[in-house]
């Protein structure tokens, strides 16, 4: 999924996703405010859901388009 596809994804019904790892993330205030604003725009999505989706989309993009594509793909297997 591309980052630009996320708003359409967030408008659909939320499906449960198994989360197996926890991370503690410190964001600049401006970025945190943007995440909070997105959560307000999409009330069915928590800030954690939005961050998870954004990180997943960014990783998908890296796997598709970057010079480290082969290294990232081999880690998935």
């Amino acid at each position: 999924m591309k980052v630009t596809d996320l708003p359409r994804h967030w408008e659909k019904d939320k499906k449960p996703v198994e989360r197996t790892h926890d991370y503690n993330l410190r964001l600049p205030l401006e970025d945190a405010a943007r995440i909070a604003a997105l959560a307000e725009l999409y009330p069915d999505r928590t800030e954690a859901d939005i961050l998870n989706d954004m990180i997943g989309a960014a990783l998908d993009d890296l796997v598709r388009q970057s010079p480290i594509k082969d290294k990232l793909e081999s880690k998935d297997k």
Side-chain angles (χ1 to χ4, degrees):
M1 177 180 310
K2 295 179 183 178
V3 173
T4 54
D5 296 333
L6 289 175
R8 280 191 302 270
H9 170 73
W10 293 329
E11 290 171 356
K12 295 179 183 175
D13 288 338
K14 184 177 171 182
K15 296 178 183 164
V17 176
E18 183 180 343
R19 309 273 186 218
T20 58
H21 289 81
D22 290 322
Y23 293 91
N24 183 12
L25 186 62
R26 296 180 60 85
L27 295 174
L29 186 58
E30 184 177 336
D31 292 343
R34 290 176 182 177
I35 298 300
L38 285 168
E40 286 184 25
L41 286 172
Y42 301 98
D44 192 35
R45 308 293 172 162
T46 65
E47 291 178 15
D49 292 333
I50 289 168
L51 286 166
N52 280 313
D53 290 344
M54 292 176 78
I55 291 167
L59 290 170
D60 288 348
D61 193 39
L62 280 172
V63 168
R64 277 194 308 272
Q65 298 182 13
S66 83
I68 58 173
K69 174 182 177 179
D70 294 333
K71 293 179 184 178
L72 289 173
E73 284 179 334
S74 66
K75 300 259 186 218
D76 291 340
K77 297 177 181 164

